[in-house]
Amino acid sequence: MTTPLDASTQQRVDQWLSGNYDAATKETIQHLIDSGNITELTDSFYRDLEFGTGGLRGVVGVGSNRMNRYTVGAATQGLSNYINAAFPDQDISVAIAHDSRRMSPEFARLVADIFSANGIKVYLFSALRPTPELSFAIRQLGCQSGIVVTASHNPPEYNGYKVYWNDGAQVVAPHDKAIIAEVNKITSVDDIKFEGVPTKIQFIDEEIDAPYIERIKSNAVNPDVIKRQSDLNIVYTPIHGTGITLVPRALDALGFTNVHIVEEQATPDGNFPTVKSPNPEERPAMQLALDLALSINADLVMATDPDADRVGAGARNHHGEFELLNGNQMASLIIYYLLNAWKDAGKLTGKEFVAKTIVTTDLIDQMCERYGVKCYNTLTGFKYIAEVIRELEGKEQFIGGGEESYGYLIGDFVRDKDAIASCAMIAELTAYAKDRGQSLFDLLMAMYQENGFYYEALVSLTKKGKSGAEEIQQMMADFRANPPKSIAGSAVVRIDDYKALTRTDESGQASPIEAGKMGIESSNVLQFFTADGTKVSARPSGTEPKIKFYVSVREPLESKEAFDNTYAQLKAKVQRVIDELQLN
């Protein structure tokens, strides 16, 4: 049959059918042609799977726009070429980890083979491991780069991989664009060196696990509290992911003896059979854990995503119901606890700092100011927080940091968000609250009483296809051309435009936001600040057909008893902002 494909798509199909690809791949392509499945054939071949600034991500399957042996191979060959050129006359090594997804072990081994075929020493985890441990391993082993095969909390049909540099952080400029350029030079399957060199591949596990757990244990700031509250009633679920390998072990190492695993989700499984989405930001993903927590009267419930870099947590509120804390709340609580602990221990010298993203709650900035600790704000993405840590290494000391999307970091021995260390710290601060006759939620309310009640909401609008992309661009253009003069009854006193890298005050005077400053570069983000402390951020997604609006409002919290009324006021104010700005 004649397939009604456009010329470039047809060319890719023909290249795969005639090129040096395996027989099974060619049979699958021919079956798509013979069955007339033009939609699937087009989606599989209409473009090359893009190697972005963070690496690869796509649906697993056959074709140039899919995650498979050949697209992963081309990306790894390009990366190998770049690493060899970047570190001439050095003994180069890389570390590789993978999650529980379909094809993750196979892709990890494939990547190891290609690196080794290019003369690069490979440290390959013998079984699935969390993403933050890969970051730790790079630094521990003195590697020049690293790969973790994962698609984070994407649906089951996806896989991908993230690329890390020698500081254990995801690649940033100038390496990100330079790696992409090298990957794009791999235009033929014949350019890829598939034949691995077994003598250059070393399997690792306990020699990294043990020191990593020890470093997490060293994060504890109140070990005596943990001893007194060792029977803290904890429910944990890895949601079929890598967290099962180390979260229970980390909690045990700290001394927590009463940890209950959600058995239905304990076995690693890339199909994620018990959830629609393995994302701890969504309540349904944590429902089994919440059910167990209710049945055993737990103090704390925690869930990690498949590659264990994000964690969701919940505790009983002042009405006795289990409430899930959002990313802003948990990031704030962690920093609140650490700042207090460092102050009490006499460790605040004026050289300590916290780092967070510009769309994460300003409550953290306010608390840092109270304690005389610097708070650095970066663009969205933990690689920018890692960049700040790297730039300040040896000059200032990193306490912790986080982002609103459920990613947190304590200490600097990992350079990415770390759900293993975060679970340990969340358990500790829950034990600290219980030791004082409080719940985790009581601690949250105490923080709000001291610093103000900050409430944040995320509005995410999906606009698919070419017309959707154009609509998103038009929305941003309209906001720039006609910015709001007031929001929810309060005058806009400042506008930050990260695309133009300008900050405009209430008089209309513009000043530059310094490009090249740590964690800051040109990015299509707009922020509006009002006189009463309301903040609205607009940011088109770089990876999905979405535009995201982050709304933050605040009010004083006079007492614990005033919580419900203040909360209702803040929610109503957020809704007013959404309606006024037509964010729907």
Side-chain angles (χ1 to χ4, degrees):
M1 64 171 280
T2 304
T3 56
L5 301 173
D6 65 61
S8 62
T9 304
Q10 185 65 59
Q11 184 181 5
R12 287 190 186 90
V13 171
D14 293 342
Q15 182 184 353
W16 280 56
L17 284 172
S18 61
N20 197 12
Y21 296 81
D22 65 90
T25 293
K26 293 182 179 182
E27 284 171 19
T28 303
I29 298 169
Q30 193 60 52
H31 176 72
L32 288 173
I33 296 169
D34 294 343
S35 64
N37 195 341
I38 302 306
T39 302
E40 178 65 20
L41 193 65
T42 300
D43 197 46
S44 298
F45 283 97
Y46 83 95
R47 65 171 189 169
D48 291 329
L49 185 64
E50 184 182 1
F51 189 96
T53 54
L56 284 177
R57 188 170 296 186
V59 173
V60 175
V62 164
S64 60
N65 188 38
R66 294 285 186 260
M67 283 285 295
N68 54 58
R69 173 179 177 81
Y70 303 104
T71 54
V72 170
T76 309
Q77 184 60 53
L79 178 58
S80 296
N81 293 346
Y82 182 76
I83 293 170
N84 275 324
F87 299 99
D89 307 318
Q90 287 189 42
D91 292 330
I92 301 171
S93 63
V94 299
I96 302 171
H98 69 81
D99 69 8
S100 58
R101 286 180 177 273
R102 187 160 58 97
M103 292 298 294
S104 281
E106 292 85 351
F107 286 148
R109 182 64 204 224
L110 171 72
V111 170
D113 284 341
I114 294 170
F115 277 131
S116 69
N118 283 275
I120 296 169
K121 167 81 174 178
V122 176
Y123 295 101
L124 176 63
F125 278 101
S126 60
L128 78 168
R129 285 297 189 280
T131 288
E133 190 180 11
L134 182 276
S135 171
F136 176 79
I138 291 169
R139 296 171 58 76
Q140 184 78 359
L141 296 166
C143 296
Q144 280 68 35
S145 183
I147 297 287
V148 59
V149 178
T150 180
S152 192
H153 52 261
N154 274 46
E157 61 269 25
Y158 282 82
N159 213 325
Y161 77 43
K162 299 178 189 175
V163 181
Y164 290 76
W165 208 238
N166 60 356
D167 63 338
Q170 288 189 59
V171 288
V172 292
H175 303 298
D176 50 3
K177 303 287 197 302
I179 291 169
I180 291 169
E182 279 302 324
V183 170
N184 290 339
K185 289 178 187 175
I186 308 300
T187 56
S188 166
V189 66
D190 298 320
D191 295 335
I192 306 167
K193 299 176 182 176
F194 284 111
E195 287 299 318
V197 180
T199 55
K200 281 199 161 288
I201 300 173
Q202 180 179 330
F203 288 98
I204 53 174
D205 38 52
E206 186 59 21
E207 64 267 46
I208 303 300
D209 295 345
Y212 175 53
I213 292 294
E214 279 303 308
R215 290 304 298 269
I216 289 174
K217 193 176 171 185
S218 73
N219 277 340
V221 289
N222 279 308
D224 289 345
V225 166
I226 296 172
K227 272 184 190 172
R228 290 195 296 271
Q229 301 296 336
S230 61
D231 64 343
L232 187 77
N233 198 349
I234 302 170
V235 167
Y236 167 68
T237 175
I239 318 180
H240 305 289
T242 60
I244 192 64
T245 60
L246 289 175
V247 170
R249 180 170 170 179
L251 294 172
D252 180 68
L254 260 73
F256 291 107
T257 59
N258 193 17
V259 179
H260 305 267
I261 311 295
V262 178
E263 291 302 329
E264 302 96 317
Q265 297 177 327
T267 302
D269 187 337
N271 294 312
F272 310 113
T274 63
V275 293
K276 280 188 178 177
S277 169
N279 185 355
E281 295 181 52
E282 298 169 7
R283 190 178 183 94
M286 293 185 68
Q287 196 57 55
L288 286 173
L290 288 168
D291 292 344
L292 177 57
L294 279 169
S295 71
I296 65 170
N297 195 28
D299 299 303
L300 172 67
V301 57
M302 297 187 289
T304 52
D305 67 345
D307 67 323
D309 61 356
R310 299 170 196 246
V311 56
R316 287 187 187 275
N317 63 21
H318 53 305
H319 299 299
E321 305 157 340
F322 259 96
E323 184 157 336
L324 297 180
L325 277 64
N326 64 36
N328 282 304
Q329 291 172 319
M330 187 50 72
S332 299
L333 269 176
I334 289 170
I335 298 304
Y336 175 65
Y337 178 67
L338 289 171
L339 288 173
N340 275 298
W342 280 57
K343 181 189 173 192
D344 291 346
K347 289 168 62 180
L348 294 182
T349 65
K351 290 193 172 182
E352 292 73 33
F353 74 96
V354 163
K356 70 176 190 68
T357 65
I358 57 174
V359 297
T360 300
T361 179
D362 290 343
L363 170 56
I364 293 174
D365 300 74
Q366 181 169 326
M367 290 191 296
C368 286
E369 189 175 343
R370 280 185 63 200
Y371 285 84
V373 170
K374 292 177 192 167
C375 183
Y376 294 96
N377 281 269
T378 75
L379 292 178
T380 305
F382 234 88
K383 63 184 180 180
Y384 295 113
I385 291 176
E387 184 182 357
V388 172
I389 297 171
R390 183 179 69 247
E391 291 293 323
L392 294 175
E393 204 159 8
K395 303 173 205 164
E396 298 179 22
Q397 187 168 6
F398 178 66
I399 293 176
E403 58 184 5
E404 45 70 45
S405 54
Y406 292 63
Y408 324 111
L409 180 62
I410 302 100
D412 65 358
F413 52 91
V414 165
R415 299 298 171 89
D416 203 350
K417 47 189 177 285
D418 185 346
I420 314 301
S422 297
C423 282
M425 185 54 65
I426 293 166
E428 180 183 338
L429 64 90
T430 306
Y432 171 80
K434 192 172 184 182
D435 203 51
R436 299 169 53 162
Q438 298 177 315
S439 69
L440 185 64
F441 202 83
D442 289 328
L443 200 64
L444 181 77
M445 289 193 287
M447 177 180 69
Y448 285 152
Q449 282 176 254
E450 287 178 39
N451 302 284
F453 191 161
Y454 284 68
Y455 175 69
E456 287 82 21
L458 171 64
V459 179
S460 187
L461 304 181
T462 300
K463 308 279 184 181
K464 291 186 177 178
K466 183 172 179 286
S467 63
E470 290 169 352
E471 190 178 348
I472 288 171
Q473 292 308 314
Q474 190 59 50
M475 289 174 81
M476 294 298 287
D478 290 345
F479 273 121
R480 285 190 168 93
N482 299 294
K485 298 284 191 294
S486 68
I487 297 173
S490 183
V492 173
V493 296
R494 183 176 128 200
I495 301 172
D496 287 0
D497 186 342
Y498 282 89
K499 188 175 183 182
L501 288 169
T502 57
R503 173 168 292 163
T504 306
D505 64 21
E506 54 193 317
S507 68
Q509 187 73 34
S511 58
I513 298 172
E514 189 184 341
K517 191 171 113 179
M518 295 179 300
I520 299 295
E521 59 190 15
S522 180
S523 182
N524 193 13
V525 181
L526 269 174
Q527 293 190 305
F528 304 102
F529 300 81
T530 73
D532 71 353
T534 296
K535 180 173 83 170
V536 179
S537 308
R539 184 178 76 90
S541 171
T543 56
E544 300 171 286
K546 291 180 179 179
I547 182 167
K548 295 180 178 182
F549 295 93
Y550 306 79
V551 182
S552 176
V553 295
R554 72 184 192 206
E555 291 286 345
L557 180 62
E558 301 299 339
S559 66
K560 181 178 171 180
E561 290 71 31
F563 180 88
D564 290 342
N565 281 339
T566 309
Y567 187 32
Q569 287 172 24
L570 291 170
K571 286 180 80 170
K573 190 170 185 179
V574 164
Q575 191 56 53
R576 183 179 171 189
V577 172
I578 291 168
D579 293 341
E580 266 189 27
L581 298 178
Q582 299 180 331
L583 308 183
N584 42 39

